[in-house]
Amino acid sequence: MDKKKILIIEDEEAIADLLAYGLNKEGFHTITANNGEEGIRSLERFKPDLLLLDWMLPDSSGLDICKKVTATNNIPIIMITAKSDITDKILGLEFGADDYITKPFDLREVIARIRTILRRVALANSPSEERIDNTIRFHNIEITKDERLVKKNEEIIELTPKEFDLLITLYSYRGKIFTRTELLDFVWGYEYAGDTRTVDIHVQRLRKKLDANDLITTVFGVGYKFEKQVD
């Protein structure tokens, strides 16, 4: 089995070396970049399965890098930063990050979160009896599951990995009311370290990108559901 590739964009050499050493021991293939420009070049050349991205870089903001990457690549991103305020965490998620880890961190937690994200991506891409029909169509939306591709009126809509997973989860259980905590468990796969507002952010982004306010509805005091409709 090919090793999963992790790109680490981190300007603190000691932290980058610690991450690379620990991940290599766990069977991953890693490369490091110490600034944003080098990181973007490495991304294009290395084609990683996941990106570990520092918030503060010497030549650019990690948020700008995150936005640029998610605009052209469908790879999960974990932000690593010294910022611990919940507002900063939400800002990172709004820019397309899938997860957020605060320095100082436990390397074991980083590895666990990487494995969780990669496992969910692999599960979404793997064939199964329940996924005989690979294409989902409703209203003016078409989803090709194995390509993780979403189109609206025949135009590609760029979704982050978590936005895509959230959409598939809600659609697969049409009519079911999910609490925010349940969606965190289904989509993120563990008890999220931040708060449930991350679900609100991802739902808002999905609604805006797909113009789906009438499909993904809020159940006040409970959570969200995908409305049943005639496909």
Side-chain angles (χ1 to χ4, degrees):
M1 181 182 295
D2 293 337
K3 293 182 177 180
K4 291 297 184 181
K5 297 186 292 184
I6 311 294
L7 172 59
I8 303 164
I9 305 179
E10 167 62 65
D11 66 315
E12 293 187 51
E13 185 175 351
I15 293 177
D17 288 347
L18 171 65
L19 288 168
Y21 175 77
L23 290 171
N24 288 337
K25 282 191 65 178
E26 290 295 318
F28 295 101
H29 179 198
T30 67
I31 64 171
T32 62
N34 59 19
N35 60 63
E37 183 179 353
E38 181 186 353
I40 292 297
R41 289 199 304 268
S42 298
L43 181 78
E44 296 171 353
R45 181 180 69 254
F46 186 54
K47 300 188 183 307
D49 297 293
L50 183 141
L51 172 61
L52 286 175
L53 176 62
D54 186 27
W55 183 295
M56 301 292 290
L57 296 167
D59 62 339
S60 59
S61 165
L63 291 178
D64 291 337
I65 298 296
C66 184
K67 186 176 181 179
K68 183 181 296 185
V69 170
T70 55
T72 56
N73 296 269
N74 188 28
I75 63 171
I77 299 172
I78 298 179
M79 298 286 291
I80 298 182
T81 174
K83 294 177 177 289
S84 58
D85 187 86
I86 188 62
T87 302
D88 293 320
K89 294 183 180 182
I90 291 172
L91 184 61
L93 294 168
E94 287 178 333
F95 272 69
D98 294 273
D99 204 348
Y100 192 107
I101 293 177
T102 305
K103 301 175 184 176
F105 53 79
D106 188 318
L107 185 58
R108 293 170 298 179
E109 180 184 4
V110 177
I111 292 169
R113 297 209 181 181
I114 289 173
R115 290 194 187 282
T116 296
I117 289 175
L118 292 178
R119 185 166 57 247
R120 294 208 166 253
V121 170
L123 182 61
N125 289 332
S126 64
S128 71
E129 293 181 359
E130 295 179 354
R131 300 176 68 239
I132 295 173
D133 186 358
N134 182 53
T135 302
I136 296 171
R137 294 183 180 87
F138 55 88
H139 290 200
N140 57 348
I141 305 296
E142 180 178 301
I143 304 170
T144 307
K145 290 188 283 187
D146 61 0
E147 297 179 21
R148 297 177 72 83
L149 180 67
V150 178
K151 292 182 179 180
K152 175 185 173 186
N153 295 324
E154 299 300 322
E155 293 186 5
I156 294 176
I157 304 298
E158 296 292 343
L159 299 184
T160 68
K162 278 292 178 289
E163 289 169 356
F164 184 88
D165 293 343
L166 178 60
L167 175 60
I168 293 298
T169 297
L170 288 169
Y171 180 85
S172 298
Y173 295 89
R174 297 183 294 286
K176 172 180 170 56
I177 300 172
F178 283 95
T179 67
R180 291 167 176 82
T181 301
E182 285 174 333
L183 285 172
L184 284 175
D185 185 56
F186 266 79
V187 178
W188 278 257
Y190 54 84
E191 186 176 355
Y192 191 68
D195 68 18
T196 55
R197 280 183 291 177
T198 185
V199 174
D200 299 330
I201 292 168
H202 281 73
V203 168
Q204 289 165 14
R205 283 171 15 193
L206 269 180
R207 285 171 170 168
K208 182 177 180 180
K209 290 181 179 182
L210 301 180
D211 190 21
N213 287 332
D214 60 331
L215 294 177
I216 303 173
T217 57
T218 301
V219 180
F220 291 101
V222 183
Y224 299 100
K225 70 174 179 177
F226 197 105
E227 294 291 343
K228 289 184 177 180
Q229 82 286 325
V230 177
D231 295 335

